[in-house]
Amino acid sequence: MSESANETPRRFKKVAARIFHRIVELAARLLFSIIYYGSNEKVPPINNILLLESASSLAFKIRTKKVSSVEVVESFIARIKEVNPIINSMVDNRFAAALEEAKSADELIASGQKSETVLAKEKPFLGVPFTTKECLQSEGLSFSAGLYKRRAIKGTRDADAVACMKKAGAILLGVTNVSELAMWWESHNYVHGRSRNPYNASRIVGGSSGGEGAVLAAGASPIGIGSDIGGSIRMPCFFNGIFGHKPSKFIVSNEGQFPSPSDEDHASFLGLGPMGRYASDLLPILRVVADKNASKLKLDSPVDMKKVKVFYAEDDGGSSFISPVDPDIKASLRNVITYLEKAHGIKAQKVSLKPLSMSGPIWLARMKSRSGSRFAQELSNNEGNLNIAWELLKWLLCMSHHTLIALFTVVMEGFGVKYGSPKHQYLVEQSKQLQMQLTDMLGDDGVFLYPTHPTPAPFHNEPLIKPFNFAYAGIFNIMGFPATHIPLGLGSEGLPIGIQAVGTYGNDHLTIAMAVELEKAFGGWVPPSVTV
């Protein structure tokens, strides 16, 4: 039989799978719409103008005595107490210690021992509060990573990125909710419960940095640190309408993240980075958390937007098991392309990159380990292997302390592509081809604009019906490239939408510059509600 004859049934199967998946998605959306009918609570309005400031602005005002650190910290603590009963994002705090550190910061500034210029250089975030996700170790705070067996564990030291922020003068308020073992894109676990979206409490906040995304969007923290191995910074930023940056690989230390990557390949996929409401905060935070590796980037290089090459794609080319891109997201991307041409004369080029349609399988294949299944061991806190059959039975009887998706992940590990098999080798080769295509296309002066996620925030549990949608973000972790999520306002459902900007290795300054530019043009973060 000829190759073309073989191709016809393959195409038929692909189209049939796509149609079936779409029908299932639409049926699930109808069901969840009925379940959550009328459940559209949002956080109370922001009524304190300090809560609307960027971290960089707050740092300047604290250094120049226009406002005290104590006043700033007290304002954000009050906001956390106001919104957390609704969004359940903050899961452990150090409010008393934070206030003492704020007093010390104010005393240092009042003493005049160091000038404002020196303080700006040595402690750029002096007196400014921040938060971080719970699976990044923070001394004295919960460090369970959403795993019930670790529910009593507290951090004994600070993760490197957290320590860098403290060294820069920032004041840690507390830690925020994650998905179980930070391996799913809804933040829900049996230690701290489920986090809810500040724009609509019936919708997800994303994962695994979902609690972080929610607390920032609600105006309850000015900046935060997240981690991203499959979109875990960018998806929560997308669902919550804020900015987030996954750095180039190995720039920010992974030390203190749990679970830790199993090998060097997986370590290269994981990136710790900044999250915040304002694009202007991304670069200074990245400079701090990158520490000595900041010199490997071009963070001080000015970016002339007129000289930036721009490429874009509106979707992945048609994956059978990934949702179609929402029309609002496509429209927002087109608006960006139009703006860049009118404002800077940029002739953006629309491209089609075939491996993008295999983003989900590529990510799953690259996450395979030579040693085989690991997730069952991690669910037992690396103290043996989880008995998956027994745990599934317990879950059916409402007796399990594990989320259903975590148990499904263990099951699927045994059925997925085998490490070293021909299929695995093919997908690894496809990922390398995509990396070369992007590298050749973008060079050191190009940016690729692409949806961060295909749909606005789904209802709670709805991701179970569309598990592979994370692939829009996750594929760039495999490349080790920098990627910045850029919010572009609210869509027709009143939920945040946006896109991501991707660059080649070491060109983080380009993707962040694009975020700064588009924030000016389209407004960036839109508070859930404001009365000031």
Side-chain angles (χ1 to χ4, degrees):
M1 188 178 290
S2 67
E3 185 175 341
S4 59
N6 280 326
E7 189 63 25
T8 300
R10 285 198 203 101
R11 288 179 180 174
F12 176 79
K13 288 179 181 179
K14 187 172 182 179
V15 171
R18 193 178 303 167
I19 292 172
F20 174 76
H21 184 252
R22 188 64 180 142
I23 291 171
V24 170
E25 277 196 334
L26 292 172
R29 170 47 63 106
L30 176 61
L31 175 62
F32 284 115
S33 298
I34 294 171
I35 292 171
Y36 288 105
Y37 180 76
S39 303
N40 57 357
E41 183 181 15
K42 64 170 63 176
V43 296
I46 296 173
N47 55 22
N48 181 339
I49 198 166
L50 281 177
L51 302 178
L52 297 173
E53 298 269 4
S54 70
S56 301
S57 173
L58 288 171
F60 173 77
K61 289 184 176 181
I62 290 170
R63 287 195 304 269
T64 54
K65 304 177 187 177
K66 291 180 173 60
V67 65
S68 70
S69 175
V70 168
E71 184 180 358
V72 171
V73 170
E74 285 179 338
S75 296
F76 280 100
I77 289 174
R79 180 63 175 172
I80 289 169
K81 291 179 178 179
E82 181 180 36
V83 302
N84 211 51
I86 298 171
I87 61 176
N88 188 36
S89 58
M90 178 76 74
V91 296
D92 201 4
N93 72 74
R94 56 188 302 276
F95 291 161
L99 285 168
E100 288 301 314
E101 290 168 12
K103 291 176 185 177
S104 297
D106 289 333
E107 289 169 0
L108 174 61
I109 293 165
S111 72
Q113 295 175 11
K114 296 184 178 182
S115 68
E116 189 269 330
T117 303
V118 171
L119 286 175
K121 183 178 180 181
E122 293 182 355
K123 293 184 177 294
F125 289 107
L126 180 62
V128 177
F130 79 105
T131 44
T132 190
K133 63 193 296 188
E134 194 255 18
C135 65
L136 293 183
Q137 187 170 192
S138 300
E139 185 178 2
L141 297 179
S142 179
F143 186 42
S144 71
L147 185 63
Y148 189 80
K149 201 166 186 177
R150 292 174 57 90
R151 65 192 181 280
I153 293 180
K154 300 281 186 177
T156 56
R157 57 175 292 273
D158 290 325
D160 286 354
V162 175
C164 285
M165 289 297 292
K166 288 184 175 181
K167 185 179 178 182
I171 297 172
L172 182 64
L173 295 178
V175 292
T176 52
N177 203 23
V178 297
S179 52
E180 188 173 9
L181 282 180
M183 283 299 288
W184 183 235
W185 52 281
E186 177 168 12
S187 291
H188 169 235
N189 58 71
Y190 284 101
V191 181
H192 303 299
R194 189 187 305 276
S195 293
R196 294 174 284 275
N197 195 295
Y199 296 84
N200 184 331
S202 70
R203 304 302 181 103
I204 73 168
V205 297
S208 60
S209 309
E212 192 61 32
V215 78
L216 293 163
S221 176
I223 50 174
I225 304 299
S227 60
D228 188 320
I229 198 169
S232 292
I233 286 175
R234 287 160 291 147
M235 285 191 295
C237 288
F238 169 83
F239 293 134
N240 294 283
I242 60 172
F243 293 87
H245 180 71
K246 183 202 81 68
S248 295
K249 66 179 182 180
F250 295 135
I251 289 298
V252 179
S253 169
N254 293 334
E255 187 63 35
Q257 156 84 27
F258 185 89
S260 57
S262 58
D263 55 41
E264 187 169 338
D265 265 357
H266 293 173
S268 75
F269 305 155
L270 176 65
L272 274 62
M275 300 171 65
R277 300 167 300 167
Y278 298 99
S280 57
D281 285 332
L282 296 180
L283 192 144
I285 300 172
L286 179 58
R287 191 191 310 277
V288 167
V289 296
D291 201 19
K292 295 177 182 178
N293 285 334
S295 61
K296 297 178 181 178
L297 303 178
K298 310 164 194 173
L299 301 182
D300 295 319
S301 298
V303 176
D304 182 350
M305 290 304 299
K306 296 184 186 302
K307 295 181 179 179
V308 177
K309 296 184 298 184
V310 176
F311 303 85
Y312 72 101
E314 294 182 358
D315 55 44
D316 65 0
S319 172
S320 299
F321 296 103
I322 293 179
S323 303
V325 175
D326 187 273
D328 287 342
I329 298 171
K330 285 190 174 183
S332 70
L333 177 52
R334 291 172 192 148
N335 290 339
V336 166
I337 299 307
T338 300
Y339 165 76
L340 291 174
E341 182 171 4
K342 289 183 176 179
H344 298 289
I346 296 173
K347 301 283 188 181
Q349 182 180 341
K350 190 174 184 179
V351 296
S352 177
L353 302 170
K354 186 178 178 181
L356 284 176
S357 67
M358 295 180 280
S359 294
I362 287 173
W363 188 90
L364 292 168
R366 295 300 305 271
M367 286 296 291
K368 286 290 182 179
S369 172
R370 185 185 298 272
S371 59
S373 175
R374 280 185 51 83
F375 202 63
Q377 297 168 6
E378 289 171 349
L379 281 179
S380 64
N381 199 31
N382 295 311
E383 297 170 0
N385 257 325
L386 191 76
N387 185 326
I388 186 61
W390 174 237
E391 282 300 327
L392 284 169
L393 177 61
K394 286 169 62 179
W395 189 89
L396 288 171
L397 298 173
C398 300
M399 296 172 60
S400 177
H401 295 302
H402 297 292
T403 57
L404 182 60
I405 188 61
L407 300 180
F408 277 171
T409 300
V410 175
V411 173
M412 292 309 296
E413 268 192 330
F415 288 98
V417 62
K418 303 297 183 184
Y419 183 91
S421 68
K423 181 68 171 178
H424 179 263
Q425 292 174 13
Y426 169 76
L427 291 169
V428 170
E429 183 58 32
Q430 287 297 306
S431 75
K432 292 178 180 178
Q433 285 189 24
L434 179 60
Q435 184 168 359
M436 286 189 290
Q437 284 180 302
L438 286 167
T439 300
D440 292 342
M441 181 177 80
L442 299 178
D444 285 328
D445 57 356
V447 169
F448 178 52
L449 301 180
Y450 188 60
T452 306
H453 196 83
T455 72
F459 291 104
H460 297 299
N461 291 316
E462 195 178 356
L464 291 167
I465 307 300
K466 46 185 80 171
F468 303 114
N469 282 5
F470 78 93
Y472 269 82
I475 188 63
F476 300 109
N477 294 78
I478 304 303
M479 311 292 111
F481 290 163
T484 306
H485 172 70
I486 306 167
L488 294 171
L490 306 181
S492 56
E493 294 183 272
L495 296 167
I497 56 174
I499 59 173
Q500 59 185 323
V502 181
T504 51
Y505 181 83
N507 288 301
D508 301 56
H509 67 299
L510 283 182
T511 65
I512 291 175
M514 181 61 72
V516 171
E517 178 65 26
L518 296 184
E519 180 182 37
K520 294 175 185 175
F522 295 93
W525 170 63
V526 178
S529 51
V530 180
T531 60
V532 293

